């Protein structure tokens, strides 16, 4: 059954235009999540390199936390992943939705 086979790319394009592979992703024991690392993980999922479940298990993230990263990238790009700007971008997005 072809539809049941999981075909994964060997690499995807990262947030800065560089090729990302499983080996070039942040290590599983990462504890300091800077913007670039978060963006790389989101790009890996969006490109099909890893599934959301695999990312959450590999990096010990909740689905909600990862979904927040994806929403931030979708809404405002990499700057939305900055911890110090989350509230600013959240309120900006909510204001834009009203109009």
């Amino acid at each position: 059954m072809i539809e049941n086979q999981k075909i994964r790319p060997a690499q995807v394009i990262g947030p800065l235009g560089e090729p990302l592979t499983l080996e070039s992703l942040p290590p599983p024991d990462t504890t300091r999540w800077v913007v670039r690392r978060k963006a790389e993980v989101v790009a890996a999922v969006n490109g099909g390199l890893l599934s959301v479940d695999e990312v959450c298990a590999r990096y010990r993230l909740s689905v909600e936390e990862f979904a927040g990263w994806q929403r931030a990238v979708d809404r405002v790009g990499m700057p939305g992943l900055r911890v110090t700007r989350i509230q600013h971008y959240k309120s900006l997005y909510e204001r834009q939705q009203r109009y």
Side-chain angles (χ1 to χ4, degrees):
M1 294 239 154
I2 294 174
E3 64 269 8
N4 290 335
Q5 293 177 350
K6 292 184 179 180
I7 300 173
R8 295 177 188 251
Q11 65 182 20
V12 297
I13 302 301
L16 302 176
E18 77 289 0
L20 282 178
T21 63
L22 287 175
E23 293 78 30
S24 66
L25 287 173
D29 60 349
T30 299
T31 56
R32 187 165 182 269
W33 285 100
V34 296
V35 171
R36 180 187 49 81
R37 289 182 188 143
K38 291 177 186 179
E40 286 175 345
V41 173
V42 170
V45 170
N46 290 345
L49 196 58
L50 290 171
S51 71
V52 173
D53 292 335
E54 290 169 328
V55 163
C56 291
R58 178 178 172 136
Y59 296 111
R60 296 177 303 281
L61 301 171
S62 68
V63 174
E64 293 80 13
E65 184 175 13
F66 180 75
W69 293 0
Q70 279 188 314
R71 275 192 307 275
V73 169
D74 290 345
R75 289 178 182 169
V76 291
M78 285 180 61
L81 294 171
R82 292 181 57 203
V83 174
T84 57
R85 302 299 286 172
I86 288 174
Q87 191 60 40
H88 169 74
Y89 288 118
K90 182 179 176 187
S91 64
L92 180 65
Y93 179 77
E94 288 169 352
R95 279 183 285 175
Q96 289 173 344
Q97 294 304 319
R98 284 189 238 154
Y99 302 106

